[in-house]
Amino acid sequence: MNRWLMRCLVVLAVSAIYLYGFPSPTLTYEAGVVVHLGAGIVFSLLLARTFLRLLRIAEAAARFGWVILALGGAMGLALVFIGGSHRFRAWLYVHIALCVMGTLLLAASWMASRGW
């Protein structure tokens, strides 16, 4: 379960970097949006299922990262339903900021556990 959660997180991070870095009206971009949406929904479902267990076993930085990622995922799910149109741009930027902060905290916690 945790392995799939991390795989989804990597797919989300890579697709988010592509979507933010190369916004263009192409089929590749739209495929990236669909991949990001699908991986985000799967990630949110897996995180909801294992959230309490992750909070019990994780160290402080990772715990905070999971909470922030859960908030970013909730904001992402809200964006799925309301849309990412121009008038909800602030919501999109909050989603991006929360997810970047959570991912960086998890990466830092992972690196600290490896002695880096």
Side-chain angles (χ1 to χ4, degrees):
M1 180 70 71
N2 199 13
R3 180 176 48 215
W4 283 103
L5 197 62
M6 288 306 188
R7 287 178 182 169
C8 282
L9 185 59
V10 169
V11 168
L12 285 169
V14 170
S15 65
I17 290 169
Y18 176 77
L19 293 175
Y20 189 78
F22 304 105
S24 61
T26 62
L27 289 176
T28 306
Y29 182 83
E30 294 304 322
V33 169
V34 170
V35 166
H36 191 78
L37 261 161
I41 291 170
V42 169
F43 178 81
S44 295
L45 292 173
L46 291 174
L47 185 59
R49 188 171 175 189
T50 61
F51 187 69
L52 294 176
R53 186 172 55 96
L54 285 171
L55 290 183
R56 269 183 281 159
I57 64 172
E59 55 190 46
R63 206 175 294 146
F64 194 55
W66 286 117
V67 169
I68 292 175
L69 265 178
L71 293 172
M75 182 67 74
L77 290 175
L79 284 169
V80 168
F81 290 106
I82 65 172
S85 64
H86 185 70
R87 66 182 187 161
F88 295 118
R89 186 175 47 189
W91 289 42
L92 176 65
Y93 288 136
V94 170
H95 164 70
I96 292 170
L98 287 172
C99 291
V100 166
M101 286 188 301
T103 303
L104 288 177
L105 280 171
L106 284 177
S109 173
W110 179 77
M111 289 169 55
S113 71
R114 303 285 186 274
W116 290 2

